[in-house]
Amino acid sequence: MLITGDMKMADVIHLNHHLLHMINRFGIQLGFGDRTVNEVCQHYDVHADFFLQLVNTFHDPSYFPLNELQNFPPGVLVDYLHKTHQFYLEVKIPEIEELIAQLETLSGIDIDHIKLLEDFFRQYKQELTSHINKEEQRVYPYVKALENALFTQNPDMSNCDNCREYSIQQYEDDHDDVESKLFDLKNIIIKYMPAPKDSRMFNIILHELFELEKDLNNHGHIEDLILVPMVERMEKEINQLRAGNTVM
Amino acid sequence: MGRITILLIEPSFLIREGIKTLISQSGKPFNMEESETTIVNLSKLLQKTKPHIVMANPVLLTDISFPRETNDDLSQIQYVALIHGQIEPKVQGRFNFMLPLNADKPTLIKKIEEIYEACSIKNQEKESATLSERESTILKYVALGLTNNDIAERLFISSHTVMTHRKNITRKLGIKTISGLTVYAILNKLIKVEELQGTQ
């Protein structure tokens, strides 16, 4: 079912509560009353069309309005991706870390096993963090500099330190190992970790890992299918601008 | 038995969605890959998706010779025709199964189960979830941080063989990364934590 601007925000949450994290990322908080999506967006000063496209992309993986999404200002997209990163590093990962640490207090559990899990999750966190930092330090400033250069029609980007020599082609697809680690962690818990008598805590952790995975997949989807083509288009425009300047 | 991949080739969005719903309700471990058309790239599509089953609108597969003779994996594919009404016997002969789109739900589910059984039998010998002795040894070395070349030298086998073993280990255990395999090896007492000192 397509989510539209005239739906009540409360109904959207009833329809798919997984969207809550995403909605929070836009700064939107609960207590919607009977306000529609459009009204809530306006209240929080959020670009409603952009919001709807992202929410629908998340809600229905087969929905992917490439052309519409690509017409949004790159800055808005980068801000969203940045907030997603913050959510992972500042909220989700510490939450899961805390849950894993709590396992030590369960009775009948082998502390050495929990240490293994903690260690594995620490490695995962490191890899995710370095992957995110790379994007934050290299890719996003580059996208913003491109946007600015096109806006001012001045192709000189030398004031952006990290942008010289950079091109989106270097944007490697190195999500791979980070993804595999998360996949492994789930299987270790599901298949191989000896479960305590009461496996509720394990269930909660698994639930969190599945949610995180879904969110990361959506994030990667947006990067690969929207951000990269968008930047390629801007690079082309900049090159045309540069070519034009030298002719003159 | 692992998951069975179905490649669905059908131009109609509604029919594709219907088939997907049917498949998910059958409760069998299927993966779906979809394509709207594409006769031209069929062999490419097969290479890419490596399906066990191809479900297709027969109209899209009439004029091509099926790549049955090609390589061994793809020759095992079960072809299922999605049929609307009558179908020429000549066309029918190309397919292993017929799925009549106007049949009722119990009939359809039964058909899906038949198709599933046909695939499970064919793929059975390839699947065994426990590691062989050789695989356990290799897993132990991987967990200890040895490279493929190190392992090849120790066991007097080629590093290519080590790679094949590692692929099988990953498929059987559902663990892809070295650190994941290490955790598995410790949990299953193939190695001790103390042995890891200095390797990571």
Side-chain angles (χ1 to χ4, degrees):
Chain A
M1 184 179 160
L2 191 68
I3 297 166
T4 55
D6 53 4
M7 277 171 80
K8 286 182 184 165
M9 189 64 107
D11 290 340
V12 173
I13 304 303
H14 279 296
L15 184 70
N16 185 349
H17 70 272
H18 295 285
L19 293 170
L20 275 172
H21 290 313
M22 190 174 215
I23 289 174
N24 289 160
R25 231 166 271 162
F26 283 91
I28 299 173
Q29 304 299 339
L30 291 171
F32 308 124
D34 281 322
R35 276 176 291 172
T36 64
V37 172
N38 281 336
E39 286 163 357
V40 172
C41 283
Q42 201 180 4
H43 181 258
Y44 284 97
D45 203 16
V46 169
H47 197 308
D49 285 335
F50 181 71
F51 176 83
L52 281 169
Q53 301 295 353
L54 282 190
V55 164
N56 277 308
T57 310
F58 191 90
H59 176 57
D60 175 5
S62 68
Y63 172 88
F64 217 99
L66 277 179
N67 290 329
E68 284 176 64
L69 259 185
Q70 283 191 40
N71 290 333
F72 289 105
V76 177
L77 179 63
V78 167
D79 278 344
Y80 171 78
L81 293 172
H82 169 67
K83 274 186 204 147
T84 318
H85 282 163
Q86 271 182 323
F87 172 76
Y88 297 147
L89 296 185
E90 289 166 23
V91 181
K92 208 75 251 177
I93 297 290
E95 260 175 29
I96 299 175
E97 246 170 351
E98 177 63 32
L99 286 169
I100 296 178
Q102 281 176 27
L103 288 174
E104 290 187 22
T105 62
L106 292 182
S107 64
I109 203 139
D110 187 338
I111 293 286
D112 286 343
H113 290 165
I114 305 308
K115 294 266 180 258
L116 278 177
L117 271 192
E118 282 178 332
D119 211 46
F120 191 82
F121 194 72
R122 199 172 308 128
Q123 289 177 33
Y124 171 70
K125 180 183 164 183
Q126 266 170 16
E127 272 176 38
L128 184 67
T129 309
S130 82
H131 171 79
I132 285 178
N133 285 344
K134 212 152 87 188
E135 287 184 357
E136 293 280 345
Q137 286 156 18
R138 296 284 284 169
V139 187
Y140 298 171
Y142 176 65
V143 177
K144 288 199 168 169
L146 273 178
E147 186 185 21
N148 187 46
L150 284 173
F151 181 73
T152 57
Q153 291 289 297
N154 175 9
D156 174 28
M157 286 164 47
S158 54
N159 55 352
C160 168
D161 278 343
N162 290 327
C163 302
R164 268 173 249 128
E165 315 285 311
Y166 189 77
S167 132
I168 199 70
Q169 280 177 348
Q170 295 170 32
Y171 178 83
E172 327 136 63
D173 198 345
D174 62 356
H175 304 193
D176 270 9
D177 206 49
V178 188
E179 266 174 39
S180 302
K181 273 227 164 64
L182 189 53
F183 175 89
D184 285 0
L185 182 55
K186 285 181 348 193
N187 255 347
I188 287 170
I189 300 177
I190 297 172
K191 296 173 78 176
Y192 304 117
M193 194 54 90
K197 273 205 190 90
D198 177 2
S199 60
R200 244 180 315 175
M201 278 297 289
F202 275 21
N203 296 353
I204 295 173
I205 292 172
L206 274 176
H207 178 79
E208 289 292 334
L209 294 176
F210 276 105
E211 285 267 298
L212 175 64
E213 185 179 47
K214 190 171 148 71
D215 209 304
L216 283 166
N217 284 344
N218 186 259
H219 182 77
H221 207 51
I222 292 174
E223 286 177 341
D224 293 344
L225 291 171
I226 307 173
L227 184 70
V228 172
M230 186 185 254
V231 173
E232 280 170 351
R233 205 178 52 212
M234 289 198 293
E235 282 177 346
K236 216 180 270 169
E237 284 174 33
I238 283 280
N239 284 336
Q240 279 165 0
L241 197 62
R242 283 186 184 141
N245 281 0
T246 38
V247 169
M248 285 192 296
Chain B
M1 172 86 233
R3 296 186 83 81
I4 291 181
T5 301
I6 300 178
L7 172 63
L8 177 60
I9 309 174
E10 162 61 52
S12 155
F13 170 74
L14 282 177
I15 294 178
R16 284 203 311 275
E17 288 300 302
I19 298 276
K20 280 195 289 185
T21 307
L22 177 71
I23 297 293
S24 77
Q25 290 186 356
S26 77
K28 302 284 183 227
F30 287 119
N31 277 336
M32 289 300 279
E33 295 280 349
E34 288 179 70
S35 170
E36 285 182 26
T37 53
T38 237
I39 315 170
V40 190
N41 292 327
L42 182 68
S43 57
K44 216 186 203 172
L45 204 61
L46 293 176
Q47 289 292 350
K48 200 178 131 215
T49 53
K50 301 217 183 312
H52 302 97
I53 299 171
V54 173
M55 287 191 175
N57 185 323
V59 175
L60 295 177
L61 290 183
T62 35
D63 293 328
I64 52 125
S65 53
F66 285 174
R68 289 223 159 98
E69 307 79 30
T70 54
N71 77 45
D72 44 359
D73 270 348
L74 297 182
S75 66
Q76 300 282 314
I77 297 175
Q78 300 285 318
Y79 287 87
V80 181
L82 307 172
I83 52 174
H84 296 261
Q86 288 301 313
I87 180 168
E88 280 180 60
K90 195 182 81 187
V91 179
Q92 201 168 341
R94 297 165 187 264
F95 291 89
N96 304 85
F97 291 95
M98 303 287 127
L99 197 65
L101 293 177
N102 57 357
D104 58 10
K105 190 173 164 187
T107 314
L108 288 169
I109 293 274
K110 223 172 134 194
K111 204 69 172 173
I112 297 291
E113 279 167 0
E114 260 175 55
I115 298 169
Y116 174 76
E117 291 307 321
C119 289
S120 326
I121 291 161
K122 288 202 172 165
N123 291 322
Q124 228 161 32
E125 67 275 8
K126 293 184 188 167
E127 290 291 331
S128 143
T130 47
L131 297 184
S132 68
E133 219 168 290
R134 213 5 143 12
E135 284 163 351
S136 295
T137 312
I138 288 171
L139 170 60
K140 187 177 149 179
Y141 286 146
V142 171
L144 289 172
L146 269 68
T147 66
N148 285 348
N149 284 336
D150 295 339
I151 299 172
E153 265 175 40
R154 284 205 194 186
L155 297 177
F156 304 105
I157 54 179
S158 74
S159 57
H160 180 78
T161 311
V162 178
M163 285 285 284
T164 310
H165 281 302
R166 286 187 59 168
K167 270 186 205 152
N168 289 337
I169 294 170
T170 288
R171 184 174 47 78
K172 285 182 181 180
L173 300 182
I175 299 184
K176 298 175 181 171
T177 64
I178 295 181
S179 29
L181 291 170
T182 307
V183 172
Y184 175 88
I186 297 172
L187 286 175
N188 287 278
K189 303 193 168 51
L190 290 170
I191 57 168
K192 292 198 186 78
V193 183
E194 302 83 66
E195 290 181 78
L196 285 174
Q197 300 295 317
T199 60
Q200 284 186 333

